[in-house]
Amino acid sequence: MTNTEIHQKLSTIVRPENLKIDELIRNHTYTKLGGKADFFITPTTYEEVQGVVKFAMQEKVPFTLIGNGSNLIVKDGGIRGIVLNLKNFNQISAKGNQVIAQSGARIIDASRHALDQNLSGLEFACGIPGTVGGALFMNAGAYGGEIKDVLESAIVVDKNGELINRAAEDFDLSYRTSNIPDNGDIVLEATFTLKPGNYEDIKAIMDDLTFKRESKQPLEYPSCGSVFKRPPGLFAGKLIQDSNLQGTSIGGAEVSTKHAGFIVNKNNATAEEYISLIRHVQKTVKEKFDVELEREVRIIGEDL
């Protein structure tokens, strides 16, 4: 199919205001990196998601799902085909000791909703900038907690466009990974089972974690957050710091002087510069300490 034909078909599946052509992805990522998406879709119903998935599968149109772009680097050449963004699915509710959050909602907001309901278990997520869907995708975690500790189930659209309710154990959640990328599931909403707690106690924990995050992390610049997974028994940031890499830059990208585990877009970096700096850090740490730093951040898209 030509792009004109694809556009015509997509216009019958989603509302025109939720379908954009040649949308700059850098406007939708925390790093402020990334070229254009051929078709950028922000659906408003689960049925629209199903329709887009089925169309993409039937016509073999490339298909990419992104969250709020907090743990994502999109290359300068952009993304071909359809890019689906679920920002309109942002509702959060509570029922008993459970919090039900749609995938486009921020996991931070889910943790705050739990606090308002005097529910404990999501405190660790109060500083994670990603969406609920993204948090499941990578089993996000911080300060000793992770999604798999509290996830009960999730509603997904599978690669065939079918709506399915999956139990937590179906996702094979482990350190910063799940089987969602391999299965091709699109998370639409998640249910977290929490424990009753005391509002002031929960808030005290969240305030402490927020202070730690804001005082240690370079939030004043665009970044993808923590770039690397923690090596067994070690700390990525410490290895990078001990390699004398803080302040090292390639173009507009720099290894943060505030937190060595972060690479910041300090001065209108390109994705190529940012990725080159990641590789330089990996190469240097390998040479100095014989440790392979594994990326936590996803890199997608095409080169220019």
Side-chain angles (χ1 to χ4, degrees):
M1 297 183 78
T2 66
N3 276 6
T4 299
E5 290 171 330
I6 293 171
H7 182 260
Q8 289 173 344
K9 179 60 178 177
L10 289 174
S11 297
T12 69
I13 300 172
V14 299
R15 300 174 186 176
E17 62 267 29
N18 301 120
L19 171 60
K20 295 182 179 180
I21 301 174
D22 292 335
E23 176 74 0
L24 276 171
I25 300 293
R26 70 172 61 104
N27 295 331
H28 304 277
T29 63
Y30 271 51
T31 55
K32 302 303 178 188
L33 304 171
K36 295 177 180 179
D38 290 344
F39 303 99
F40 189 82
I41 300 175
T42 52
T44 56
T45 68
Y46 293 177
E47 291 75 18
E48 286 177 349
V49 176
Q50 291 179 270
V52 171
V53 171
K54 289 177 180 178
F55 165 69
M57 178 188 65
Q58 290 165 0
E59 299 298 337
K60 296 182 172 54
V61 179
F63 180 89
T64 304
L65 174 70
I66 67 170
N68 66 353
S70 60
N71 191 51
L72 184 69
I73 297 170
V74 178
K75 293 182 179 181
D76 299 309
I79 303 174
R80 303 290 67 80
I82 297 168
V83 173
L84 197 68
N85 179 288
L86 303 182
K87 67 178 183 178
N88 292 325
F89 299 151
N90 56 13
Q91 297 301 304
I92 304 171
S93 60
K95 184 177 181 181
N97 66 338
Q98 293 183 325
V99 167
I100 301 98
Q102 289 187 312
S103 60
R106 298 191 309 163
I107 192 68
I108 289 175
D109 292 333
S111 73
R112 290 172 179 164
H113 195 87
L115 167 65
D116 291 339
Q117 302 296 318
N118 301 320
L119 293 173
S120 176
L122 270 175
E123 291 91 333
F124 73 90
C126 69
I128 297 174
T131 60
V132 169
L136 265 68
F137 186 94
M138 64 172 291
N139 185 31
Y143 300 111
E146 55 188 345
I147 290 297
K148 76 179 184 70
D149 298 335
V150 291
L151 182 66
E152 179 71 25
S153 62
I155 295 175
V156 307
V157 170
D158 71 7
K159 61 185 178 182
N160 297 315
E162 300 303 320
L163 204 63
I164 300 173
N165 194 351
R166 296 202 194 281
E169 53 266 28
D170 294 337
F171 294 108
D172 291 341
L173 300 173
S174 57
Y175 180 67
R176 301 300 176 267
T177 62
S178 72
N179 62 20
I180 293 173
D182 294 332
N183 288 348
D185 284 345
I186 296 174
V187 176
L188 298 183
E189 67 179 65
T191 297
F192 303 104
T193 296
L194 308 174
K195 297 178 181 178
N198 177 271
Y199 180 93
E200 294 302 330
D201 293 341
I202 298 169
K203 186 175 186 300
I205 294 171
M206 291 173 66
D207 287 346
D208 179 56
L209 296 182
T210 299
F211 173 77
K212 287 178 179 177
R213 174 176 179 261
E214 291 179 348
S215 62
K216 294 178 181 178
Q217 297 182 10
L219 304 179
E220 64 271 25
Y221 294 111
S223 81
C224 61
S226 182
V227 178
F228 305 103
K229 295 180 181 180
R230 179 179 173 182
L234 300 168
F235 292 95
K238 184 72 163 58
L239 291 168
I240 297 166
Q241 185 177 339
D242 291 347
S243 299
N244 299 314
L245 286 166
Q246 281 185 282
T248 300
S249 62
I250 294 179
E254 179 185 273
V255 179
S256 171
T257 56
K258 189 173 183 180
H259 190 309
F262 284 62
I263 291 176
V264 295
N265 182 354
K266 195 169 183 180
N267 187 23
N268 297 316
T270 64
E272 183 179 4
E273 292 167 349
Y274 203 97
I275 294 167
S276 294
L277 186 54
I278 289 174
R279 291 172 178 155
H280 175 68
V281 169
Q282 289 173 312
K283 180 173 180 287
T284 304
V285 170
K286 173 65 175 175
E287 290 172 350
K288 190 170 181 66
F289 296 105
D290 195 30
V291 175
E292 300 270 4
L293 287 181
E294 185 181 354
R295 277 189 291 105
E296 183 173 303
V297 62
R298 293 170 63 211
I299 298 175
I300 62 174
E302 300 182 352
D303 294 315
L304 272 178

